Amino acid sequence: MHLTSQSNVKPISYMKANAARLREELAFEPMFVTQNGEETLVVQTAEAFHLMQEQIAFMQLVIDSENSIKAGNVMSLDEMLSDL
């Protein structure tokens, strides 16, 4: 999958030359790094990475919940309250 339509595509030489200021430049937007015209890396801040991991974990909980409902693993509100 190529993401060359992204606006933040830079050659690896740009990343090397500007390494000290990449954190401020990126904020929460990833940088797609190319080498010899091919996308090879995606660079992002640690904060953006951790946020993305939290979002993925949340979406996995939603998917697991939907699968549980489809499998019939449900209980009524009264059953749940009586279990408390």
Side-chain angles (χ1 to χ4, degrees):
M1 174 183 212
H2 292 283
L3 299 172
T4 52
S5 64
Q6 297 292 328
S7 61
N8 203 9
V9 177
K10 305 284 186 187
I12 198 161
S13 58
Y14 179 88
M15 189 178 82
K16 290 176 184 177
N18 297 284
R21 18 176 276 225
L22 284 181
R23 185 180 191 286
E24 291 78 29
E25 183 179 330
L26 292 175
F28 277 86
E29 295 299 318
M31 176 186 293
F32 298 88
V33 181
T34 62
Q35 186 172 16
N36 299 322
E38 294 289 325
E39 291 177 344
T40 57
L41 300 169
V42 177
V43 179
Q44 65 186 130
T45 63
E47 294 89 354
F49 175 79
H50 292 299
L51 177 62
M52 184 177 68
Q53 292 300 306
E54 289 176 9
Q55 291 169 333
I56 291 169
F58 175 77
M59 290 306 299
Q60 189 60 55
L61 286 173
V62 171
I63 291 167
D64 291 347
S65 297
E66 288 178 342
N67 289 338
S68 186
I69 291 168
K70 288 177 186 175
N73 299 328
V74 296
M75 66 172 65
S76 71
L77 178 61
D78 290 334
E79 291 172 315
M80 184 195 74
L81 292 175
S82 69
D83 285 351
L84 297 176

